[in-house]
Amino acid sequence: MTSAPTTEPGLTTSPPQTPGEAPGRVAPRPRRVVPLWGWLVAVVVIWWVASRIGDGRAVLYLPGQETTDFQDRFTDLKADLIAGRDTNVLMQVVGAVSDAFNGVVEQLQGLVSTPDLPRPVPQIGWLGVLGIAGWVSLAIAGWRHALGTMASLAAVGLLGYWVDGMDTLIITFFSVAVSLALGLPLAVWMGTSRRVNAVVTPVLDVLQTFPAFVYLAPMALFFSLGPAIAVAVTVLYALPPVVRISAHALRSVSETTIEATTSLGQTGWQRLIKVQLPMARPSIIVGVNQTMMAALSISVIAGFVNGPGLGKPVLRALTAGSNQVGVAFIAGASIVFIAIMLDRVTTAASERSELVARGGGGNRRTHRIVLAVAGAAALVSVYVSRTYFSFAEFPDTEVGPKVAEAVQSATDWTTSHFSGLTTGVQETVTTVFINPLQDLVAGSPWFVTGLALIVLSQLLAGWRGALSSLACLTGIYVTDLWYDAMVTLTSVLVATLFVMVVAVVLGVWMARRRLVDRLLRPLLDAAQVMPSFVYLIPVLALFGPGRFTAIVAAFIYAVPVATKLVADGVRQVSETTVEAATAAGSTPWQLITKVQLPMARGNLVLAANQGLLFVLAMVVIGGLVGGGALGYDSVLGFSRGEFFGKGVSAGIAIVLLGIMVDRVARGAAERDRSAPGLLARLRTRTPAHHLS
Amino acid sequence: MSESSPALQVDGLWKIFGQRADKVIGTPDALLSRADLKAKNGCVTAVKDVSFDVAPGEVFVVMGLSGSGKSTLVRCLTRLIEPTAGQITIDGEDVTKASESQLRELRRHKVSMVFQHFGLLPHRQVIDNVAYGLEVRGVKKAQRRQQAGDLVDLVGLTGYDESYPDQLSGGMQQRVGLARALANDPAILLFDEPFSALDPLIRRDMQNEVVRLQAELKKTMVFVTHDLQEALKLGDRILIMRDGEIVQIGRPAEVVARPVDDYVRDFVSDVPRSHVLTLEYVMRAPTPEDSREGPVMSMDTIVRQAAQAALASAHPVQVVSDGKLVGIVDDDAILRVVVAEESVPTAPTKQAV
Ligand SMILES: Nc1ncnc2c1ncn2[C@@H]1O[C@H](COP(=O)(O)OP(=O)(O)OP(=O)(O)O)[C@@H](O)[C@H]1O
Ligand SMILES: [Mg+2]
């Protein structure tokens, strides 16, 4: 056993003392002659000087409408793949999968969303859908949630997005079904075989650092645009949470229980079916919930690749500019309704199924009777919706346009009255933070920036961090999108900086005041359920299209997760330590800065890591609203065939940026050795609140 | 001791944890101390060349400090941990050579185990926990529930059939564990520190429960504990382990009276001797001058029980075995044990079996 290393110098309230060292203890690391921050400042200063000398040369800028050989190779590859559609085995497999997906989606659309020819309307009209959805919610989650579900769906219809809403649900549910069909067996395999677990876990790790957006491009290489690619992308993105959580749950079934039941002579199969799966069930349901929310979130983004659903109207409105904010708002609101509905119902269902499994949950007979009656009502509603046209097609109401109009005028009013304020904020942040940093990062010669980033990685995360940064930067160089990547990196760094400042302030506040925690936490939880897309809308309304909007949206998107991490970290600092420090006469400020924050440093680094990844995901989506750089390149790749290769290259660059940022933050976290286990726990992106 | 064939026979059992552990057996490395071997190639010798027999109906207690290899030893018996070397014979069958399915049969019918941390299934009612062993061997639901119900009653949990484990206290949970082990009607029961997670009063209840069940059901038991009181209370014989090796095997009184070394002596130093020692260990050889009027007692009478009669009489106690006088116990020999808690007064007169 090695004895626990002593605290990092600089963390403790008093400097570490060497004399009187207890025998056998590892001596504390010698204090660095120059502290870490000194090195960091030195590197930045040298970097800045070099960038002045470089004066805008060798920045590897590639104009938006130009492509390079490397990028064109993907465009050609796609052309080749399409040309070889009938001969290439891979393409045939993809084609078959694609046809199957399209077929299922079409069937489901005929069932609930689009006219099922020769019928002028779908098989089941809106009333029938309400009836069935309500009944299912009643059965799995209780009557309150049944009402909530019906209200949410009706709201979507009233806003005028019934068909798109149905499509979104179709893509989401179908993708979740496929994810579970693939993911659960894989999870079982991982849960029962150490080796498989060791192989698959790092793959999932990497997959989960990718922003949702980058799944689109490689898929578009094989699939043609439409429902199939939306499903494929959604499945790929939604798979990791359920696999990871279920496998973890299976692996963490109590060793004693397994041993005890094995001692009674069970077979391996009996162990899985009778012991491991039932004991892991609650966590598996949490995994399903996360998978569903992830699926919803990306099925909206799949509007980019012409996936059916609410993504498309949002996208259209967003790209149409600021006079469409009202429309974007009501489409976004529909997404929010659906997100909340799915989250609430699946969460309630998991809680309730626990209750029922334990023989609770009220009188079963009564429950059965209620279900039967409600089922009959649902059937009647289906019948009615098949018989009367006005119950089949959601009636056009004025609600949607009116709300849109109201929001639009409110927005216009705000922007005209507060434009001074918003422009002020925008200009200040741009001139004080964004521009200087961009001059430094993107405006230096590429080799200077590259070297500086590698050195910084070494300082923060050690040699392994430096090595992975070297590899990632090399990759980015190869994609010929160096300048754009550096601009994106700038946005990411600025947004993350603000995220961390706000997260620390709010997090400390939450940790120190129960009331604040009670008020803020539900908000943060709800915010984490939202698909990233919807965050763009209000920000766009306030600041108009541009790089700044992307940064602000990213900031808003990342704040909840980071804040919760900080709050949990500070809260974890042991009562005794806090008491001891208070007894020693610390002021609250000293308590925070000298005890609570340093001791929560592991969580702070984690918050930064998560913040970076969330921000990156959003900054990229911001390409849509004039965020420029890599995001713009990706969007361009989808919208114009000749830029496909550039879009793919941008996707690669984004992935590399993500890996680089993640490795450095993670390396720093591991060096900190405060909370390494937390990282694994956090690799579940969407609503993290279920895990805490 | 009667000469029926042993219920359980362990011969030259080894368990070494670590990679390439099987390469260690038979080399001089195997004889290294645990710390030395670990330093040398990272392997840990948890059980080191252990041999013993357990007679049918005997309660055989395994004791030792934490880390001495008790749990490993008892798990090796049904190969919940795969032994590295050695032979284990249960009911004439060589367990170490059994196939997977033979092993399952053994676990389903002949040997059951009770665990320190219960290992109950939280998602099942008490009755279905108890019935689990029957379920995995394919007994029909109605029948296994009926059988399990009887066992729930037997361990004193009547009325709790439909509770879930987390609705029960620790002691009750362990009763479920006990009932589950009994449900297979095994000939041999293994216990790994079954009561050490319970508080003292409940622990005493549970020990009494085992004594009662033992009297009622006559199972063979291997009982791991680190509580000497428990060992003395339950054990017919006690095996004391240190660093994976046997230090001493003997009847409780023997272990207390004649510890083979300081490790054992330390172990037994807190025991109230009068509660454990039998007259065998305090008597002296009879001489012709001794009075023959005193009370007559058998050799395995416990000192404390003998004390009152012995002190009431003016004459020394005559100790008999098989109707023959084998020793004399004077009042002061008894007083030394009861009052002064001194160790064995005189040199042994006869070697214990
Ligand atoms: N799976 C394992 N891998 C490696 N070493 C192990 C393993 N299991 C046990 N050991 C080692 O074997 C030795 C014996 O452990 P064991 O659990 O049998 O002791 P014990 O006597 O039951 O102790 P306790 O009273 O604490 O339960 C210990 O040194 C332990 O570290
Ligand atoms: Mg043990």
Side-chain angles (χ1 to χ4, degrees):
Chain A
M1 277 257 175
T2 53
S3 66
T6 45
T7 342
E8 175 92 326
L11 275 188
T12 42
T13 37
S14 60
Q17 310 273 308
T18 15
E21 185 74 5
R25 270 183 61 195
V26 179
R29 271 207 247 153
R31 225 184 212 294
R32 296 193 208 214
V33 188
V34 182
L36 180 61
W37 63 264
W39 286 110
L40 295 178
V41 169
V43 171
V44 172
V45 168
I46 297 172
W47 188 3
W48 183 78
V49 171
S51 90
R52 290 303 95 189
I53 297 171
D55 193 24
R57 275 166 293 186
V59 297
L60 302 183
Y61 176 68
L62 180 70
Q65 304 291 322
E66 278 178 31
T67 60
T68 66
D69 289 348
F70 176 81
Q71 296 164 0
D72 289 339
R73 233 174 283 164
F74 291 106
T75 315
D76 298 343
L77 177 61
K78 180 168 168 96
D80 289 349
L81 283 173
I82 290 173
R85 179 169 289 168
D86 302 321
T87 47
N88 185 327
V89 180
L90 178 65
M91 286 305 280
Q92 280 170 328
V93 173
V94 171
V97 172
S98 184
D99 289 345
F101 283 177
N102 278 330
V104 174
V105 171
E106 218 167 277
Q107 287 290 319
L108 293 172
Q109 282 182 318
L111 198 62
V112 294
S113 89
T114 53
D116 193 28
L117 299 174
R119 280 172 67 87
V121 287
Q123 291 292 343
I124 302 175
W126 66 268
L127 189 67
V129 172
L130 279 192
I132 294 174
W135 185 78
V136 171
S137 305
L138 176 69
I140 64 175
W143 64 270
R144 240 178 276 233
H145 292 282
L147 292 182
T149 298
M150 293 196 287
S152 303
L153 288 178
V156 172
L158 284 175
L159 289 175
Y161 288 104
W162 179 262
V163 174
D164 286 326
M166 285 299 110
D167 283 347
T168 289
L169 284 175
I170 286 171
I171 299 287
T172 304
F173 280 126
F174 180 41
S175 306
V176 168
V178 177
S179 294
L180 296 185
L182 297 174
L184 288 180
L186 180 61
V188 167
W189 200 20
M190 281 172 74
T192 44
S193 156
R194 206 174 286 273
R195 194 165 309 156
V196 176
N197 190 50
V199 172
V200 180
T201 305
V203 177
L204 293 180
D205 268 354
V206 174
L207 281 182
Q208 288 202 294
T209 57
F210 293 178
F213 210 61
V214 306
Y215 286 91
L216 300 179
M219 284 290 156
L221 204 53
F222 303 105
F223 290 89
S224 45
L225 302 189
I229 182 174
V231 173
V233 166
T234 308
V235 167
L236 202 61
Y237 182 74
L239 199 56
V242 74
V243 174
R244 174 185 285 282
I245 295 176
S246 306
H248 180 75
L250 285 170
R251 297 194 77 81
S252 35
V253 167
S254 139
E255 202 54 54
T256 322
T257 307
I258 294 203
E259 198 174 39
T261 46
T262 302
S263 82
L264 293 165
Q266 67 189 349
T267 61
W269 178 249
Q270 287 171 327
R271 183 187 67 213
L272 179 66
I273 297 297
K274 292 175 191 284
V275 180
Q276 288 173 302
L277 280 177
M279 285 179 75
R281 205 190 52 162
S283 303
I284 293 178
I285 294 180
V286 170
V288 172
N289 167 295
Q290 300 227 349
T291 282
M292 185 167 287
M293 300 322 290
L296 173 67
S297 147
I298 195 176
S299 76
V300 175
I301 291 178
F304 275 106
V305 287
N306 211 15
L310 288 164
K312 284 204 272 191
V314 174
L315 198 60
R316 256 198 318 271
L318 282 182
T319 41
S322 50
N323 58 345
Q324 289 291 311
V325 166
V327 178
F329 178 85
I330 54 172
S334 306
I335 298 174
V336 171
F337 281 129
I338 290 180
I340 293 176
M341 170 185 96
L342 291 182
D343 183 51
R344 293 290 89 205
V345 171
T346 47
T347 308
S350 71
E351 282 159 11
R352 192 187 155 88
S353 75
E354 265 324 280
L355 250 176
V356 173
R358 311 283 315 260
N363 187 333
R364 294 207 181 174
R365 233 179 86 97
T366 326
H367 187 62
R368 243 179 254 142
I369 294 171
V370 169
L371 272 190
V373 173
L379 285 180
V380 170
S381 74
V382 170
Y383 174 78
V384 171
S385 82
R386 286 174 61 85
T387 320
Y388 301 99
F389 187 79
S390 57
F391 292 109
E393 195 167 65
F394 208 95
D396 267 335
T397 62
E398 287 300 298
V399 178
K402 281 218 177 97
V403 173
E405 214 170 285
V407 170
Q408 186 71 47
S409 57
T411 313
D412 292 344
W413 185 84
T414 317
T415 37
S416 60
H417 283 73
F418 291 96
S419 68
L421 184 66
T422 50
T423 358
V425 170
Q426 181 165 358
E427 264 166 20
T428 314
V429 174
T430 306
T431 49
V432 175
F433 292 98
I434 306 180
N435 285 346
L437 193 63
Q438 185 162 325
D439 286 347
L440 184 68
V441 177
S444 303
W446 65 271
F447 44 86
V448 173
T449 297
L451 192 64
L453 290 177
I454 292 169
V455 172
L456 289 179
S457 307
Q458 200 285 329
L459 289 174
L460 291 169
W463 286 110
R464 286 176 60 183
L467 212 65
S468 71
S469 290
L470 173 66
C472 291
L473 290 169
T474 311
I476 291 173
Y477 178 83
V478 171
T479 61
D480 294 326
L481 288 169
W482 180 273
Y483 184 82
D484 284 357
M486 291 307 126
V487 172
T488 299
L489 180 61
T490 305
S491 303
V492 168
L493 293 177
V494 171
T496 308
L497 179 75
F498 281 96
V499 167
M500 286 313 290
V501 170
V502 172
V504 167
V505 172
L506 284 183
V508 168
W509 199 25
M510 279 171 70
R512 294 175 59 89
R513 297 260 180 281
R514 288 245 158 249
L515 183 67
V516 178
D517 190 272
R518 271 220 305 278
L519 292 177
L520 275 186
R521 199 168 278 269
L523 282 181
L524 297 178
D525 285 345
Q528 274 190 278
V529 177
M530 300 303 152
S532 49
F533 229 44
V534 303
Y535 287 93
L536 280 178
I537 299 164
V539 184
L540 183 68
L542 278 180
F543 296 105
R547 180 180 54 170
F548 187 71
T549 296
I551 292 179
V552 174
F555 162 79
I556 297 177
Y557 181 54
V559 158
V561 66
T563 304
K564 284 203 316 199
L565 276 172
V566 173
D568 293 343
V570 174
R571 172 106 23 82
Q572 273 163 22
V573 174
S574 90
E575 284 290 321
T576 333
T577 316
V578 173
E579 243 168 33
T582 314
S586 316
T587 63
W589 177 250
Q590 286 170 325
L591 194 63
I592 293 172
T593 54
K594 291 182 189 290
V595 180
Q596 291 179 311
L597 281 181
M599 287 186 72
R601 195 157 93 162
N603 267 41
L604 289 186
V605 178
L606 270 174
N609 172 298
Q610 292 295 297
L612 281 167
L613 292 175
F614 273 59
V615 162
L616 177 65
M618 196 67 191
V619 159
V620 170
I621 294 177
L624 202 65
V625 292
L630 292 181
Y632 172 77
D633 297 334
S634 321
V635 175
L636 191 66
F638 296 120
S639 47
R640 308 254 305 266
E642 69 269 33
F643 291 112
F644 179 78
K646 192 170 188 182
V648 171
S649 305
I652 297 174
I654 293 166
V655 167
L656 292 172
L657 268 188
I659 294 179
M660 178 170 91
V661 181
D662 180 50
R663 291 288 137 172
V664 171
R666 212 196 291 210
E670 266 154 27
R671 277 186 134 194
D672 229 7
R673 70 209 161 231
S674 325
L678 268 174
L679 255 180
R681 198 152 66 78
L682 276 159
R683 283 273 165 264
T684 31
R685 243 183 313 207
T686 7
H689 57 284
H690 296 292
L691 290 182
S692 43
Chain B
M1 200 172 285
S2 70
E3 266 313 303
S4 62
S5 71
L8 166 70
Q9 209 170 357
V10 175
D11 199 14
L13 187 73
W14 288 79
K15 175 65 200 182
I16 303 180
F17 286 107
Q19 271 151 8
R20 299 161 52 78
D22 44 333
K23 300 278 188 309
V24 177
I25 308 271
T27 67
D29 280 358
L31 302 176
L32 290 176
S33 80
R34 188 187 270 183
D36 289 344
L37 183 68
K38 180 147 182 31
K40 183 159 181 197
N41 64 0
C43 290
V44 178
T45 315
V47 176
K48 192 170 184 179
D49 198 13
V50 166
S51 307
F52 60 88
D53 291 352
V54 182
E58 183 178 10
V59 179
F60 187 81
V61 171
V62 179
M63 285 199 66
L65 296 181
S66 184
S68 55
K70 312 176 294 289
S71 298
T72 310
L73 172 63
V74 76
R75 279 168 177 70
C76 281
L77 299 181
T78 56
R79 284 173 52 195
L80 286 172
I81 292 178
E82 202 59 49
T84 315
Q87 207 178 28
I88 297 159
T89 315
I90 290 177
D91 203 11
E93 188 188 355
D94 186 348
V95 178
T96 42
K97 298 216 172 56
S99 67
E100 274 295 313
S101 62
Q102 284 169 323
L103 198 57
R104 272 202 299 275
E105 284 308 300
L106 178 88
R107 290 173 184 165
R108 286 178 182 182
H109 297 280
K110 292 186 188 156
V111 188
S112 292
M113 185 156 167
V114 180
F115 295 80
Q116 178 177 8
H117 298 292
F118 322 142
L120 302 179
L121 294 167
H123 58 282
R124 286 174 171 236
Q125 296 175 350
V126 165
I127 185 120
D128 291 321
N129 262 293
V130 174
Y132 190 79
L134 300 170
E135 182 177 336
V136 296
R137 70 189 203 206
V139 177
K140 291 268 175 307
K141 182 156 185 174
Q143 193 194 339
R144 68 174 189 248
R145 280 206 149 209
Q146 146 128 48
Q147 269 172 282
D150 293 346
L151 282 159
V152 172
D153 296 343
L154 179 70
V155 298
L157 285 179
T158 311
Y160 288 95
D161 309 46
E162 302 199 340
S163 304
Y164 285 85
D166 58 6
Q167 297 165 334
L168 304 181
S169 68
M172 289 158 95
Q173 290 187 38
Q174 194 54 296
R175 283 171 197 263
V176 178
L178 193 56
R180 176 176 65 182
L182 289 171
N184 280 346
D185 194 22
I188 302 180
L189 277 169
L190 310 177
F191 294 82
D192 186 10
E193 303 198 21
F195 309 141
S196 50
L198 308 178
D199 59 51
L201 284 181
I202 311 263
R203 193 182 312 165
R204 211 172 56 201
D205 273 359
M206 294 298 292
Q207 288 161 356
N208 293 337
E209 189 77 19
V210 170
V211 170
R212 179 176 73 84
L213 288 172
Q214 171 62 5
E216 219 169 289
L217 307 171
K218 298 269 180 287
K219 305 280 184 195
T220 307
M221 297 185 182
V222 176
F223 195 106
V224 171
T225 176
H226 59 224
D227 175 354
L228 186 67
Q229 301 288 353
E230 189 167 89
L232 297 173
K233 178 166 181 176
L234 302 175
D236 293 322
R237 278 190 306 154
I238 299 177
L239 183 163
I240 297 181
M241 282 180 92
R242 176 183 50 205
D243 287 355
E245 285 176 283
I246 296 181
V247 184
Q248 186 170 8
I249 301 186
R251 283 180 287 124
E254 193 181 339
V255 172
V256 172
R258 301 203 194 98
V260 295
D261 64 6
D262 288 344
Y263 179 76
V264 182
R265 195 166 296 123
D266 253 11
F267 236 105
V268 299
S269 60
D270 294 343
V271 189
R273 267 139 229 295
S274 56
H275 292 214
V276 182
L277 290 188
T278 56
L279 296 181
E280 182 184 349
Y281 297 95
V282 295
M283 69 193 185
R284 60 176 170 80
T287 59
E289 297 90 72
D290 289 325
S291 146
R292 296 296 151 105
E293 322 261 300
V296 177
M297 294 182 191
S298 102
M299 204 159 68
D300 43 17
T301 312
I302 291 184
V303 172
R304 195 167 71 125
Q305 286 158 3
Q308 202 173 15
L311 297 178
S313 157
H315 303 276
V317 176
Q318 308 173 61
V319 182
V320 296
S321 167
D322 293 337
K324 277 202 344 235
L325 180 70
V326 291
I328 295 292
V329 178
D330 303 311
D331 281 2
D332 69 319
I334 294 217
L335 285 175
R336 261 186 300 186
V337 174
V338 175
V339 181
E341 278 290 321
E342 266 180 33
S343 44
V344 187
T346 46
T349 48
K350 187 183 150 210
Q351 200 54 43
V353 192

